[in-house]
Amino acid sequence: MRKTMVAGNWKMNKNLQEGVALAQELTSALKGTTPRCEVVIGTPFIHLATVAQVIKDSPIRLSAENCSDKVSGAYTGEVSAEMVKSTGAEYCILGHSERRAYYHEDNELLKEKVLRALENGLKVIFCIGEVKEEREAGKQNEVVKSQLEGSLFNLSDEQFANITLAYEPVWAIGTGLTATPEQAQEMHAYIRSLLASKYGEQRANDTTILYGGSCNAKNAAELFANPDVDGGLIGGASLKAPDFLTIINAR
Ligand code: PEP
């Protein structure tokens, strides 16, 4: 049985004190419980080490939202995968559409970032998805296939076991527009078929594929009810503990 997951992506929200308060609220709610899915929170770099201490006796796992493609050295302002790992984080979100759009991260750069994360023992939540114009032109499958091929299909099966995918149609992120459960299921099944062609049925069946894009406390259960939707990557709704907890319970 593959792992199910609900992961939060705080993006560039909450100062350190606010982030700690949110992590404390989630920890108090989940301590001593066994959620049906893995629970991950993705926080800005500066929160990682402190939040790692807050959540250490809870079932919550920690993720960064990015890491450098470089190993170390004279790259002012960058944060390496080794640094992320040293905070206690287990995961790194890579390939988010905001990084692709605003920071021009392409498949080739992301391929390097994925390698740095894996080399340092981080698991990767890798985001893929089409923009509105691509969906309208019926090109969503093509786009997602080239993102997978361009950044991940160089990995060995052993390396790929550390990848969680997040299908995030860009037109649904932060817009209030959600993919219908049918659209999500159709794409997730397509992604799984690509994994089967590349890595075989076993790896395809074992890979966790999350949906992301305006997933919230109201629509999560309907999205998660689909056989190939293994959970969610949650932006806005992960910033309020009650909403995030409702989504966790919907999985
Ligand atoms: C995201 O940032 O990955 C995301 C899905 O955002 P939102 O839930 O706010 O659409």
Side-chain angles (χ1 to χ4, degrees):
M1 274 293 282
R2 62 180 167 262
K3 186 166 70 181
T4 56
M5 180 190 289
V6 170
N9 174 18
W10 291 3
K11 312 194 187 197
M12 196 172 75
N13 291 297
K14 304 213 174 274
N15 65 30
L16 181 59
Q17 291 72 28
E18 291 164 346
V20 165
L22 176 55
Q24 278 166 340
E25 214 179 329
L26 294 170
T27 300
S28 315
L30 293 175
K31 221 170 172 171
T33 69
T34 313
R36 284 193 299 267
C37 60
E38 188 161 306
V39 178
V40 179
I41 51 176
T43 82
F45 291 131
I46 66 125
H47 297 60
L48 290 172
T50 316
V51 167
Q53 292 309 307
V54 174
I55 62 176
K56 72 176 186 312
D57 296 322
S58 83
I60 305 170
R61 319 286 175 93
L62 189 58
S63 179
E65 300 174 13
N66 185 21
C67 73
S68 178
D69 59 312
K70 304 290 191 294
V71 174
S72 67
Y75 300 102
T76 303
E78 284 291 276
V79 175
S80 72
E82 186 191 0
M83 292 171 186
V84 168
K85 178 73 178 175
S86 74
T87 65
E90 260 182 70
Y91 284 92
C92 188
I93 298 169
L94 291 173
H96 194 279
S97 62
E98 288 150 17
R99 302 287 324 166
R100 292 178 191 262
Y102 307 143
Y103 302 97
H104 314 295
E105 296 193 359
D106 59 14
N107 291 344
E108 201 50 43
L109 178 84
L110 291 167
K111 181 171 157 184
E112 292 303 312
K113 291 193 174 204
V114 169
L115 290 172
R116 294 302 86 71
L118 296 179
E119 284 158 11
N120 285 284
L122 290 167
K123 289 177 270 189
V124 172
I125 299 173
F126 193 81
C127 307
I128 51 180
E130 80 287 355
V131 300
K132 188 162 159 273
E133 294 72 27
E134 291 163 338
R135 165 71 58 171
E136 284 168 355
K139 290 191 168 154
Q140 63 273 18
N141 287 8
E142 211 179 294
V143 170
V144 160
K145 184 168 188 254
S146 79
Q147 290 170 334
L148 286 172
E149 287 176 346
S151 302
L152 297 180
F153 279 6
N154 58 306
L155 300 176
S156 67
D157 175 64
E158 198 185 358
Q159 287 172 314
F160 201 89
N162 294 300
I163 306 289
T164 294
L165 293 174
Y167 169 58
E168 301 207 303
V170 182
W171 46 272
I173 298 181
T175 58
L177 290 174
T178 315
T180 63
E182 294 73 27
Q183 284 172 323
Q185 170 56 28
E186 192 181 9
M187 179 55 89
H188 284 224
Y190 173 66
I191 292 168
R192 217 178 286 290
S193 76
L194 294 174
L195 300 185
S197 309
K198 172 70 186 167
Y199 293 102
E201 290 290 338
Q202 186 68 49
R203 178 60 55 218
N205 282 331
D206 288 351
T207 301
T208 300
I209 309 178
L210 309 178
Y211 168 79
S214 298
C215 181
N216 59 39
K218 289 206 174 84
N219 61 24
E222 204 186 357
L223 285 159
F224 297 168
N226 290 286
D228 286 292
V229 179
D230 306 315
L233 179 57
I234 316 298
S238 72
L239 296 171
K240 289 198 184 115
D243 287 6
F244 193 54
L245 291 164
T246 301
I247 297 169
I248 292 164
N249 288 326
R251 179 55 265 186

